[in-house]
Amino acid sequence: MIDISKHIPIILIAVPILMAAIMVFLKSSPKLQKSLNVFVTLCLLALSVVLLLRVWTDGIIVYEVGEWGKYGIVLVADLLSAGMVVLTLFVSFLSLVYSLDYIEERSLNSTYHSLFNLLMAGLTGSFLTGDIFNLFVFFEILLLSSCGLVIANEKGGVTKASDKMEATFKYLVLSMLGSIVMLIAISSLYATVGTVNMADIAVKVSAMSAAGTMPWHIYPIALLFIVVFGNKAAIFPLHYWLPDVHPTAPSPISAMLSGVLIKVGVYGMLRVFFLMFRDVLPMFQPIIILLALVTIIIGAISAIGQTDVKRMLAYSSVGQIGYVFLGVGMGSVYTITAALVYLVNHAFAKSMLFLTSGGIIHHAHTRNMQKMGGMIKSAPLMGAMFLIGAMSIAGFPPMGGFIAKFILFDAGIEEGFYIPIAIALIFAVLTLFYMFRAWMIMFWGEPRDFETYGEYSSHALSPLLTVPIIILAIGVIIFGVYAEPLIALAQATAVQIVDPQPYIDAVMTRVVR
Amino acid sequence: MDSFNAIALAIFLPFIFAGLIPLANKVFKQYIGWFAVAGALTIFLLIAKVAPIIIHGDTVSGGVSWLPSVGLEFSIYADGLSMLIGFLASGIGVIIMSYSNGYMSQKEDLPRYYKWLLLFMGSMIGMVFSANTIQLFIFWELTSITSFMLIGYWRNKPESIYGATKSLVLTASGGLVMFAGFLLLSSITGTFDIPTILHSESLISAIHEHKFFLLTLTLIFIGAAAKSAQGPFYVWLPNAMEAPTPVSAFLHSATMVKAGIYLVARIHPIFSGTDAWFYLVAGTGMATMVVAGFLAFRQTDIKAILAYSTISQLGYLMTMYGYTTQHEPGIGVAAATFHLLNHATFKACLFLVAGIVAHEASTRDIRKLGGLRREMPITFIIASIGALSMAGIPPLNGFLSKEMFYESSIEMGAAIGSPYTILIPAIAVLGGVFTFAYSIKLIDGIFLGKRHDDELPNHIHDPGATMLIPAAFLAFLVILFGLVPSIPVHNIVEPTTAGILLEHVELHVKLWHGFTPSLFMTMFTFIIGLLVYSKYDAIATWQDRFNERHSAVSINYHYDAVVNNARSSAHKISAIIQPGTVKTYMSAVLALIVVLVFIPIVLLGANIIPHTLNFNFNIAPYEILLMLLMVIAAIAATILPGYLPAIIALSALGYMVSMLFIYLKAPDLALTQVLVETLSTIIFLLAIVKIPQKFKETISKTTFARDAIISVAIASTVFIMLINATQGIVSPFESLSHYFIENSLSLAGGHNIVNVIIVDFRGYDTLGEISVLCLAALGVYNLIHSRSEEK
């Protein structure tokens, strides 16, 4: 009997890949497909929590795929990666449950489950790998699986297939560009230090730095990773694909993309710059702070200009990821704690908002907010849920988003970044404005002209749609009222990020055959 | 139950009551309002239970662990100041909710109404008893959102939505600014805890000497001013009158708008005694007092008169709290505190009367009202008490506190010296004149004069007891506080003033205090006030003309311009930033790559760039030829017009790359490349059959030049990177391949190293790549599948 608990890292990646294959063969029995997928995802979520707890108590866990040590591929679960995996699987599970009733039947039965599983595998694999080339491989999985899911059909679809194709095309082109840059960076790095293991790279880069033999091109190589991860995270000027892709995707997929997928970029930056290229940090930080601020500004202003509810949420994601990067860029333990808390809160609130937007579309059969109005009477639950999410994104107490903004601003001021925090604050006001205005346009006022736009749907939303939203809403409120566990976890994670020695030791002390 | 628990309970009970409303609604049905009243009364009693301790001169404080990671407790601090506002919030709450039982029709959504009222009350009480700035801010913003919900109570009316938006935008963003001030304060002092700062002289002097003193004070004050509708922020309050009248009485005159005043009083010991405090707080207060007083005089809607009057009265309070000198930091504190209490009583009373009048006469327009004294005698008496108190007529409580206001103004003027000796009392009197004038107008316009029969319903009468008693009770307090000032002064004003000044305070307030200068000022105020009122028509014509000519003077004009155009102008900006073509986006990405590579070159300078790049690659002549051909093929692929030639050029490039691999002794790689190239050429050719064969896009010269520059820049950037990177592995490191060469046979049992790497050493990567291929297949299947569905 194999001790499962020792193999959790690989299980979290391999099982979804296996499930993807199984789902193809179960095409003809949709019920089995649904229940099996939900069950397995729930198990994976439980396993990921076990993994996080074990990392919390026993320290960093290194898992070798094939016992080749740094010469092969290692999976590393530290607090950051294990925490991100838990977050991923949590949002995935809820999005999956939501999908069961939201995605159009034929799309759902044929490929949706497989693609969804591969998306999960891509995410867990990206977070858990300790190998920079392997990260590239999983980025490809992420890219293609998300493309496949964006074009999945939703019931009573309000998004034209041609829009989806256009968005996917832009996404593919820009992401391939990112992939090429990543390949150039990785191969240049390999040609310079002779390894692709992240911990090993870290050791070698700091050794070169100490010996004074560091070639100058390490700096541009490192900075190129800003393009790679910035592209995933959609920071300016790499954000252009996001406002097209996130709104056209079916709502549960929008929730996955905005809630989790863009966070891969944040994760990557933390990994690459704080582990591998610590010497480049002084150069990286001002660049990323600057880009973060521009991202915040562009995201907020663009969000104000939208009439499509999902497009507004997408631009809001652009702006909000800027706040996360602001915390990353300021670079102290406290600011990174803040960035992580912000990240988690945004993941909850934004996936919740996208799921809610699905419910709103279900109700109003349009994404155009100007064709809605007065829905508080006909869809009170969606109204309440959207308000909770909007308050959190706007940083309104008692929602989680407030705690996130509070810690971020406090950390920034403590570190003396007065001007960036001032800018961030001004645009927080704009966030408040567009979020509440959107809510009022949709839910207050007189109901729309029914003769022109048709009646609101009288179908009650099924529990498969409402329960995931409510669970996320409860999370948003809990993170606002009692955030201590989250902050403590984020703080411990930030300590590990800022001092990567335990990570390096854990990987490098493996005995190689 | 000890005092700490009592206060904690008083904070949380309203939230619990609000949560119970849906349940209680099933039991109480149309009497749900009395359930809310019971809740408010419980909270009032809880605070009253703690009151003796505070009146005795002690404070209640304590905390429980909340967010230790950021050094934050849930903590409570109760002194006279918080007790006063706590009493107002719960006491007026009881009165308002009782009144609402008569005012709100049974057809209204009562559970929602009372739920938000209770939530507001809890937020207000939570705010005043908060001992740290963050907790204070949380409850502060909660009062903003509950106020937003109550202003927008009739959520289908555009006016309600407008008013709610305005109040939220101004108060909540003011709150965020204040929050920044709080964070600066904590970065200076190292603590969020307010009492710690209040009781530490070293911290206070550290704040005074800090370079951010003025900034911190200004930021916090902006929040307070936005909440209390001071200075330019006043514009939200008149529009907030879209709320049901009891809400206006409760939130927008008696309690929530006092939050800013509360905050100013709370931070008084920290910042007062400085010029900045005087100019900022008293200056804003005086300007608001006079301007809003004038505007109130000119309104026609009785609720609007009361709204502007509230703004003006809040200006009084700001002014008095702003009176400060270095030796005597709190000149106007006692007067302000007393007036705060008095204003809450007479203004809430007047709002309730306004509600009664609107309820019975179906209009709030003062031009249509008039002569109601006979039909509504009780209402008339109550209203007169309230209005006369506001006007400052003895023996009502408004007279007392206005006297104190004049006294402190004289003292403040004398303390600074000429020309302020005259100026400050003069401004105070001017404020008083307008107050007197609009108070008289209120009574005259509604109850005296002739009845406009054509505008009013035939039968108007006093309302039922549910609505009369709350108003009458407030009128009773107005008289009581006026006749026996020692009751409020000893029990409330003294402890509050002590709480603000942090010292023992004894006050002597008497109705008759001799022929003092302030009494002469009061008499002067009455005379001028009557004069101004008699010239109402002339003033009105002048003002209408002024408004017509100078519409840009109005703050509302600018607010509307910004908010109404926000969407369209933001849309224009985002359309510029995000034009929609992939090519622009790619250019942006490529430009970023170039910049990121050149930043280190610029920053690090030439000194670190190796001068000894090894260009000696031993290139054979046929390799040069091959590369030249590749360059030609690449250029051809970009410039050839038409898909077919471009694709052929592209595949030629690919095949030449595989030839290069052969020369570099990598046959398996070359083989793979040939396969990939063949396949992609076939797919390309299959695809172009379906699409038009000519490029439709015509490229202008500037675009071409731009694209060429970007292409050359990115190509040279990558070239520079790679030429450096291929200088070999930095010693003493060595490539992984040594390990693979040594161990592929012994450990993995394979002769072909590449194969062993693919299936064994890095077999996991291969699994991923296989998944990618399957994914592509699934994605394409999905695409075809969904397309066939559409047809």
Side-chain angles (χ1 to χ4, degrees):
Chain A
M1 184 69 198
I2 317 165
D3 181 7
I4 287 184
S5 69
K6 277 188 183 157
H7 296 280
I8 294 177
I10 192 71
I11 288 174
L12 291 175
I13 304 164
V15 168
I17 294 182
L18 180 67
M19 287 294 290
I22 293 174
M23 286 299 153
V24 173
F25 294 107
L26 290 182
K27 202 183 140 186
S28 50
S29 39
K31 275 194 182 155
L32 182 62
Q33 232 182 1
K34 283 182 187 174
S35 41
L36 184 65
N37 204 3
V38 169
F39 173 72
V40 171
T41 311
L42 190 61
C43 292
L44 290 177
L45 175 59
L47 280 179
S48 71
V49 174
V50 173
L51 180 68
L52 179 61
L53 290 176
R54 284 196 47 191
V55 174
W56 178 260
T57 48
D58 306 345
I60 297 169
I61 294 171
V62 177
Y63 183 88
E64 292 169 42
V65 187
E67 300 184 342
W68 302 110
K70 65 172 186 176
Y71 298 103
I73 297 167
V74 291
L75 304 180
V76 186
D78 64 348
L79 285 173
L80 178 62
S81 47
M84 293 299 288
V85 167
V86 173
L87 181 69
T88 302
L89 289 172
F90 183 70
V91 176
S92 301
F93 175 69
L94 295 177
S95 299
L96 180 67
V97 171
Y98 188 95
S99 306
L100 300 183
D101 197 42
Y102 189 81
I103 300 294
E104 186 266 336
E105 286 292 324
R106 278 182 64 188
S107 235
L108 184 69
N109 301 340
S110 60
T111 53
Y112 188 84
H113 289 288
S114 304
L115 290 167
F116 198 89
N117 269 299
L118 283 169
L119 179 64
M120 284 199 291
L123 287 163
T124 51
S126 302
F127 290 132
L128 285 171
T129 188
D131 186 285
I132 191 82
F133 184 76
N134 192 241
L135 185 65
F136 171 79
V137 172
F138 276 92
F139 269 21
E140 296 298 289
I141 295 184
L142 275 185
L143 171 63
L144 280 174
S145 56
S146 51
C147 278
L149 287 166
V150 167
I151 50 180
N153 287 331
E154 43 205 328
K155 278 183 185 166
V158 290
T159 308
K160 279 190 293 184
S162 57
D163 285 353
K164 290 192 175 196
M165 291 309 297
E166 190 191 333
T168 317
F169 173 68
K170 288 177 185 171
Y171 183 38
L172 264 178
V173 170
L174 293 172
S175 299
M176 291 310 285
L177 198 57
S179 298
I180 293 169
V181 174
M182 190 173 186
L183 263 189
I184 293 174
I186 293 174
S187 49
S188 305
L189 193 60
Y190 178 63
T192 310
V193 296
T195 179
V196 283
N197 180 296
M198 294 186 195
D200 202 16
I201 294 171
V203 171
K204 290 185 171 163
V205 169
S206 54
M208 285 191 297
S209 167
T213 55
M214 178 121 96
W216 76 277
H217 60 270
I218 287 290
Y219 287 88
I221 287 173
L223 293 183
L224 278 184
F225 280 103
I226 294 182
V227 178
V228 176
F229 299 123
N231 196 40
K232 278 272 171 288
I235 57 172
F236 174 84
L238 311 160
H239 68 282
Y240 291 109
W241 56 271
L242 189 145
D244 282 334
V245 174
H246 287 197
T248 45
S251 294
I253 298 306
S254 313
M256 284 293 285
L257 297 180
S258 256
V260 191
L261 196 72
I262 57 174
K263 272 74 176 188
V264 175
V266 181
Y267 168 84
M269 296 252 198
L270 287 170
R271 228 1 137 226
V272 164
F273 287 95
F274 287 84
L275 172 67
M276 286 160 50
F277 299 114
R278 300 191 59 78
D279 289 289
V280 190
L281 273 181
M283 208 179 278
F284 162 76
Q285 286 177 340
I287 297 176
I288 208 71
I289 289 178
L290 185 73
L291 291 181
L293 288 176
V294 181
T295 309
I296 290 173
I297 293 170
I298 287 182
I301 292 180
S302 305
I304 293 176
Q306 304 307 317
T307 48
D308 173 346
V309 54
K310 283 180 76 176
R311 203 172 164 84
M312 182 208 74
L313 291 175
Y315 271 116
S316 157
S317 285
V318 173
Q320 296 298 306
I321 207 75
Y323 284 92
V324 177
F325 276 109
L326 192 59
V328 171
M330 293 187 293
S332 74
V333 171
Y334 193 18
T335 62
I336 290 177
T337 306
L340 293 171
V341 172
Y342 208 109
L343 185 153
V344 173
N345 274 304
H346 180 255
F348 270 67
K350 195 47 73 64
S351 28
M352 170 191 167
L353 279 171
F354 268 117
L355 294 185
T356 310
S357 77
I360 290 169
I361 292 168
H362 203 276
H363 185 66
H365 301 301
T366 177
R367 287 177 4 206
N368 189 337
M369 292 189 280
Q370 286 171 334
K371 294 181 188 166
M372 303 177 195
M375 298 199 305
I376 195 79
K377 285 239 169 69
S378 51
L381 180 69
M382 287 302 111
M385 293 298 123
F386 196 93
L387 182 65
I388 290 174
M391 281 172 74
S392 186
I393 295 292
F396 226 94
M399 305 303 163
F402 162 69
I403 299 288
K405 278 214 172 66
F406 156 51
I407 300 180
L408 181 66
F409 293 169
D410 188 39
I413 286 178
E414 197 166 272
E415 297 294 318
F417 290 96
Y418 300 110
I419 305 285
I421 293 299
I423 296 173
L425 190 85
I426 291 167
F427 286 89
V429 173
L430 292 197
T431 311
L432 180 105
F433 175 69
Y434 68 72
M435 274 297 176
F436 274 88
R437 204 200 41 168
W439 185 74
M440 280 190 283
I441 292 175
M442 291 190 288
F443 291 97
W444 280 7
E446 294 293 343
R448 67 179 175 199
D449 182 3
F450 287 141
E451 284 184 6
T452 323
Y453 302 119
E455 297 271 345
Y456 289 134
S457 163
S458 52
H459 283 281
L461 295 176
S462 83
L464 286 178
L465 299 189
T466 53
V467 171
I469 301 177
I470 293 171
I471 291 175
L472 284 167
I474 292 171
V476 166
I477 295 172
I478 287 177
F479 285 151
V481 175
Y482 187 64
E484 180 56 25
L486 176 64
I487 300 173
L489 177 63
Q491 208 161 33
T493 310
V495 169
Q496 269 189 4
I497 292 168
V498 172
D499 175 22
Q501 202 54 46
Y503 182 104
I504 293 171
D505 290 343
V507 177
M508 298 307 286
T509 50
R510 307 297 292 188
V511 183
V512 180
R513 281 194 281 186
Chain B
M1 186 165 50
D2 66 359
S3 314
F4 174 80
N5 287 339
I7 302 244
L9 203 59
I11 295 174
F12 288 109
L13 260 188
F15 294 98
I16 295 167
F17 270 99
L20 289 176
I21 285 263
L23 210 66
N25 191 41
K26 295 203 173 104
V27 184
F28 291 88
K29 301 211 170 66
Q30 70 266 37
Y31 299 111
I32 182 75
W34 296 110
F35 171 77
V37 172
L41 194 63
T42 319
I43 287 129
F44 185 83
L45 293 176
L46 276 171
I47 299 174
K49 186 183 172 301
V50 183
I53 301 173
I54 291 163
I55 293 168
H56 186 255
D58 288 330
T59 57
V60 176
S61 58
V64 289
S65 171
W66 180 34
L67 300 177
S69 298
V70 285
L72 212 52
E73 281 194 320
F74 177 83
S75 50
I76 284 171
Y77 177 69
D79 64 350
L81 177 62
S82 31
M83 182 188 72
L84 167 60
I85 313 274
F87 270 142
L88 284 182
S90 52
I92 307 243
V94 172
I95 294 170
I96 294 297
M97 289 182 202
S98 315
Y99 176 88
S100 299
N101 282 303
Y103 185 85
M104 296 299 279
S105 147
Q106 298 299 340
K107 279 176 247 154
E108 295 287 349
D109 187 356
L110 293 179
R112 178 160 60 94
Y113 175 79
Y114 288 108
K115 180 181 79 186
W116 286 108
L117 274 183
L118 281 170
L119 287 176
F120 163 74
M121 199 169 85
S123 317
M124 195 69 200
I125 289 171
M127 188 201 72
V128 293
F129 289 114
S130 290
N132 65 66
T133 48
I134 302 306
Q135 192 184 325
L136 189 150
F137 173 77
I138 290 176
F139 284 113
W140 178 281
E141 292 292 74
L142 283 180
T143 63
S144 294
I145 189 110
T146 44
S147 155
F148 164 80
M149 287 296 178
L150 285 165
I151 296 171
Y153 172 76
W154 285 299
R155 48 199 177 190
N156 52 345
K157 274 170 55 188
E159 297 85 12
S160 303
I161 296 176
Y162 176 79
T165 313
K166 206 174 193 178
S167 80
L168 187 79
V169 167
L170 291 176
T171 58
S173 42
L176 274 176
V177 173
M178 175 186 87
F179 185 57
F182 283 163
L183 292 179
L184 274 181
L185 190 65
S186 85
S187 83
I188 298 170
T189 58
T191 176
F192 294 114
D193 197 51
I194 302 170
T196 310
I197 304 174
L198 292 183
H199 297 292
S200 158
E201 279 181 20
S202 60
L203 279 182
I204 290 178
S205 66
I207 295 165
H208 280 241
E209 283 151 22
H210 200 273
K211 59 176 173 174
F212 287 140
F213 170 78
L214 187 61
L215 181 65
T216 311
L217 170 59
T218 313
L219 291 176
I220 297 178
F221 180 70
I222 286 176
K227 196 82 169 176
S228 287
Q230 294 299 290
F233 303 107
Y234 82 87
V235 290
W236 69 265
L237 190 57
N239 291 104
M241 294 299 130
E242 292 303 330
T245 302
V247 170
S248 308
F250 188 25
L251 273 71
H252 305 123
S253 105
T255 55
M256 189 189 87
V257 289
K258 301 272 164 64
I261 307 291
Y262 163 81
L263 183 66
V264 165
R266 181 52 87 211
I267 60 169
H268 189 280
I270 305 176
F271 292 98
S272 69
T274 57
D275 287 349
W277 180 267
F278 171 70
Y279 288 114
L280 201 60
V281 181
T284 312
M286 280 191 251
T288 314
M289 167 177 80
V290 173
V291 173
F294 175 73
L295 291 173
F297 181 50
R298 279 286 292 116
Q299 301 302 314
T300 50
D301 179 346
I302 49 178
K303 269 184 88 177
I305 298 179
L306 292 176
Y308 280 99
S309 149
T310 304
I311 298 168
S312 172
Q313 297 284 321
L314 293 168
Y316 275 56
L317 298 176
M318 276 294 177
T319 310
M320 286 186 262
Y321 281 121
Y323 285 163
T324 190
T325 62
Q326 206 171 352
H327 298 293
E328 203 182 336
I331 291 176
V333 168
T337 309
F338 194 25
H339 196 64
L340 193 160
L341 175 66
N342 294 340
H343 174 250
T345 54
F346 65 68
K347 188 54 66 63
C349 171
L350 284 172
F351 263 108
L352 297 189
V353 167
I356 292 173
V357 170
H359 204 257
E360 303 298 329
S362 324
T363 179
R364 297 194 319 232
D365 192 330
I366 203 154
R367 289 167 302 190
K368 296 178 184 168
L369 292 163
L372 295 182
R373 63 187 177 281
R374 289 203 189 82
E375 287 153 291
M376 310 174 83
I378 307 177
T379 315
F380 172 51
I381 294 170
I382 294 171
S384 306
I385 294 169
L388 292 179
S389 174
M390 180 155 77
I393 308 267
L396 304 169
N397 60 1
F399 166 72
L400 292 172
S401 46
K402 187 161 314 167
E403 287 287 284
M404 289 166 77
F405 172 46
Y406 286 164
E407 267 168 39
S408 58
S409 299
I410 295 168
E411 197 182 330
M412 185 66 213
I416 318 181
S418 172
Y420 291 98
T421 326
I422 306 292
L423 193 62
I424 291 178
I427 293 173
V429 169
L430 188 61
V433 164
F434 287 127
T435 309
F436 184 83
Y438 65 68
S439 303
I440 300 301
K441 179 171 186 260
L442 212 51
I443 297 302
D444 190 23
I446 303 174
F447 297 101
L448 306 177
K450 265 199 349 212
R451 192 182 196 277
H452 299 270
D453 289 329
D454 46 339
E455 307 274 11
L456 294 171
N458 291 333
H459 297 289
I460 298 178
H461 50 77
D462 274 323
T466 344
M467 286 169 82
L468 264 187
I469 291 175
F473 179 72
L474 287 167
F476 164 72
L477 286 183
V478 168
I479 301 174
L480 180 75
F481 289 177
L483 290 177
V484 200
S486 59
I487 298 176
V489 167
H490 284 306
N491 292 317
I492 295 174
V493 180
E494 277 179 6
T496 307
T497 315
I500 299 169
L501 297 178
L502 302 172
E503 60 192 23
H504 184 67
V505 177
E506 264 182 48
L507 298 170
H508 303 283
V509 181
K510 281 188 197 143
L511 204 50
W512 175 251
H513 41 270
F515 288 103
T516 55
S518 58
L519 192 64
F520 287 111
M521 281 165 74
T522 300
M523 291 196 276
F524 190 62
T525 306
F526 293 165
I527 296 163
I528 307 280
L530 276 174
L531 212 64
V532 168
Y533 184 59
S534 66
K535 294 272 178 255
Y536 179 83
D537 292 333
I539 295 173
T541 4
W542 173 81
Q543 203 207 345
D544 289 343
R545 251 203 341 258
F546 181 86
N547 282 350
E548 236 168 71
R549 280 187 208 159
H550 308 278
S551 58
V553 174
S554 149
I555 295 160
N556 277 318
Y557 173 85
H558 295 287
Y559 170 87
D560 290 342
V562 171
V563 170
N564 294 341
N565 296 329
R567 205 196 68 75
S568 57
S569 35
H571 189 75
K572 276 178 209 145
I573 296 173
S574 72
I576 296 168
I577 301 170
Q578 183 119 10
T581 52
V582 185
K583 211 164 133 187
T584 336
Y585 302 165
M586 282 186 75
S587 312
V589 177
L590 294 175
L592 181 70
I593 296 172
V594 175
V595 170
L596 287 178
V597 172
F598 276 84
I599 285 175
I601 295 182
V602 173
L603 284 185
L604 301 172
N607 56 338
I608 57 138
I609 296 175
H611 302 288
T612 53
L613 271 183
N614 177 12
F615 283 102
N616 184 14
F617 291 123
N618 290 327
I619 308 172
Y622 49 79
E623 282 178 339
I624 295 176
L625 188 68
L626 192 58
M627 283 179 191
L628 269 178
L629 283 173
M630 283 165 71
V631 171
I632 292 168
I635 292 174
T638 28
I639 61 171
L640 280 178
Y643 290 115
L644 194 60
I647 288 167
I648 290 172
L650 196 64
S651 46
L653 176 62
Y655 285 119
M656 280 184 280
V657 170
S658 55
M659 277 169 79
L660 194 67
F661 285 148
I662 294 174
Y663 285 124
L664 295 174
K665 301 184 185 70
D668 28 14
L669 212 54
L671 206 60
T672 317
Q673 176 74 15
V674 167
L675 282 175
V676 169
E677 213 48 61
T678 312
L679 203 60
S680 48
T681 308
I682 292 171
I683 294 172
F684 262 136
L685 289 175
L686 284 176
I688 58 162
V689 176
K690 299 272 181 190
I691 42 179
Q693 293 301 303
K694 287 260 178 199
F695 284 108
K696 278 187 182 152
E697 193 184 16
T698 47
I699 298 166
S700 71
K701 274 189 181 159
T702 44
T703 320
F704 183 78
R706 190 197 66 189
D707 291 354
I709 291 171
I710 292 175
S711 306
V712 171
I714 190 75
S716 34
T717 307
V718 174
F719 178 75
I720 294 173
M721 281 268 313
L722 290 183
I723 201 80
N724 277 283
T726 47
Q727 292 300 304
I729 289 168
V730 176
S731 66
F733 313 136
E734 54 178 28
S735 166
L736 290 180
S737 42
H738 293 286
Y739 177 85
F740 295 148
I741 292 167
E742 279 165 26
N743 296 305
S744 71
L745 186 59
S746 57
L747 293 179
H751 288 283
N752 185 327
I753 300 165
V754 175
N755 287 356
V756 173
I757 292 174
I758 290 174
V759 300
D760 202 333
F761 290 122
R762 299 187 68 90
Y764 178 58
D765 272 345
T766 314
L767 172 71
E769 291 296 356
I770 293 171
S771 308
V772 172
L773 284 181
C774 297
L775 255 172
L778 283 170
V780 170
Y781 178 77
N782 197 5
L783 191 63
I784 297 167
H785 197 70
S786 62
R787 262 186 49 147
S788 63
E789 184 128 323
E790 243 175 40
K791 284 172 189 171

